[in-house]
Amino acid sequence: MSQKYGASGLWTYNTTANVTREAVRDLRDFKSNDVNFKLALWNPSTNGVRYLKALVYTLAGGLDAENWQRLRNIAHRDVGDPFSVTYDGETVCLDYIQAVYELGFITRTLDLDGRSVLEIGAGYGRTCHAMLSNHDVASYHIVDLENTLELSSAYLAEVLTPEQFEKVTFTPVSDVDDTVAGRHFDLGLNIDSFAEMEPDTVVDYLRLIAGNCDHLYVNNPVGKYLDKTLDDHVQGDEVVALALRTGLLRDVIDIHDNRAVAAEVPKFLDAYRPGPAWSCVADGPAVPWSYYWQALYRADSAAV
């Protein structure tokens, strides 16, 4: 018998460890176990960064000239050592790809130059960084929890110019009524944190926005999910239960079923409308997550 077409040392190992005679006889779930992880699919459980970088690479390839320019305008994006790829000589990470898409969505309707902005829950500050790097915003006010404010203030001091950083005000949630209430903002925004707050807290923020802002941009999930294959509930059942109780939109859906997601959109648009005298002027899916939606609302009085 000829051996010249035999298995390599690597595949000799694979046929004894993964693609075994016993394993290949069972077709029930071979596409989601070690058999297929050696034939066609990298194991998602141990190759998360590989898939993340593949996602970033693919998204970078789809950026149009306008979004590339927005991205290039944002200096110091590598601070914090993000998972990045290099595309056309430019270092790109997922956070700032999302930021330029969000900025493009907002500015199709609202000119940000000279505007005052109120962001509720800014994370480490990438939206503020992107916005101030691309527009001559008059002022930018961030409201957040104290630990997160410590991070965003340090990060933004590092990545913004001194002149840009002077425009930013940081307010802990405990001081909102004293510092924010009574002030006027052209734009309020929340990205991916209303869904993690107590429902009454979201309602209070929407009332604040209704009374103090002319516009609201919101980007959040349309519902909850319980697909354990996504993260194996690694933080434990108690944290899962906590997550299911937060936000205004708590229906559990199949987040990878486009029709199921679309069915929740009317609830999303209604839930985040700050008040009866507000209109949704733009909405659509939010890159890249299947179950996130974005919307821009305008107070009817601001349309005059």
Side-chain angles (χ1 to χ4, degrees):
M1 181 181 295
S2 172
Q3 297 297 315
K4 65 181 180 179
Y5 303 115
S8 66
L10 174 62
W11 266 94
T12 298
Y13 169 78
N14 287 339
T15 55
T16 58
N18 306 108
V19 191
T20 65
R21 286 184 180 275
E22 294 77 15
V24 300
R25 290 171 181 151
D26 186 353
L27 297 181
R28 287 173 298 176
D29 61 355
F30 81 95
K31 289 184 180 178
S32 57
N33 68 29
D34 285 344
V35 173
N36 208 36
F37 295 158
K38 289 301 177 185
L39 293 175
L41 179 75
W42 289 297
N43 185 346
S45 299
T46 54
N47 282 266
V49 173
R50 186 194 299 268
Y51 284 111
L52 172 60
K53 288 193 171 186
L55 172 63
V56 174
Y57 188 93
T58 301
L59 291 171
L63 290 173
D64 60 20
E66 197 171 15
N67 273 335
W68 270 118
Q69 188 56 55
R70 289 188 178 103
L71 195 67
R72 293 186 180 106
N73 289 342
I74 308 169
H76 310 302
R77 300 190 309 275
D78 290 338
V79 170
D81 193 23
F83 291 109
S84 301
V85 303
T86 302
Y87 202 98
D88 285 343
E90 196 76 35
T91 302
V92 186
C93 70
L94 182 59
D95 283 351
Y96 283 98
I97 286 180
Q98 292 180 95
V100 298
Y101 271 110
E102 292 155 2
L103 201 53
F105 179 89
I106 294 169
T107 55
R108 280 196 292 272
T109 303
L110 179 65
D111 181 4
L112 291 174
D113 290 336
R115 303 288 190 173
S116 56
V117 180
L118 169 67
E119 182 172 12
I120 298 163
Y124 67 76
R126 55 100 163 156
T127 304
C128 177
H129 185 199
M131 195 174 288
L132 268 63
S133 298
N134 281 277
H135 296 277
D136 186 20
V137 171
S139 64
Y140 201 103
H141 204 118
I142 292 174
V143 169
D144 217 328
L145 302 174
E146 289 188 4
N147 288 2
T148 315
L149 279 182
E150 185 173 345
L151 173 61
S152 61
S153 60
Y155 181 79
L156 291 170
E158 181 80 12
V159 300
L160 294 175
T161 67
E163 294 76 19
Q164 291 168 337
F165 188 70
E166 285 182 2
K167 297 180 179 182
V168 187
T169 302
F170 302 88
T171 297
V173 295
S174 57
D175 295 343
V176 169
D177 286 339
D178 295 330
T179 306
V180 177
R183 293 189 56 179
H184 172 265
F185 300 93
D186 295 296
L187 173 66
L189 60 91
N190 177 268
I191 297 173
D192 201 18
S193 64
F194 274 168
E196 297 175 345
M197 299 179 188
E198 296 297 330
D200 288 347
T201 301
V202 182
V203 170
D204 286 338
Y205 275 128
L206 291 173
R207 286 175 180 153
L208 178 74
I209 289 163
N212 295 73
C213 299
D214 289 337
H215 299 81
L216 167 65
Y217 171 75
V218 64
N219 181 335
N220 272 271
V222 301
K224 304 291 186 180
Y225 63 90
L226 268 175
D227 184 350
K228 196 172 182 179
T229 66
L230 298 179
D231 63 358
D232 201 30
H233 293 176
V234 293
Q235 297 182 85
D237 291 341
E238 184 177 351
V239 173
V240 172
L242 289 172
L244 291 174
R245 292 200 295 266
T246 58
L248 300 178
L249 302 169
R250 299 185 294 277
D251 289 345
V252 176
I253 64 169
D254 179 353
I255 61 173
H256 295 117
D257 177 342
N258 68 308
R259 292 177 178 176
V261 171
E264 301 300 310
V265 170
K267 301 175 190 176
F268 177 99
L269 297 178
D270 183 60
Y272 289 122
R273 189 161 66 112
W278 284 68
S279 301
C280 179
V281 293
D283 75 283
V287 174
W289 310 121
S290 62
Y291 62 111
Y292 275 64
W293 207 257
Q294 58 186 340
L296 182 68
Y297 300 85
R298 180 175 60 207
D300 293 345
S301 58
V304 178

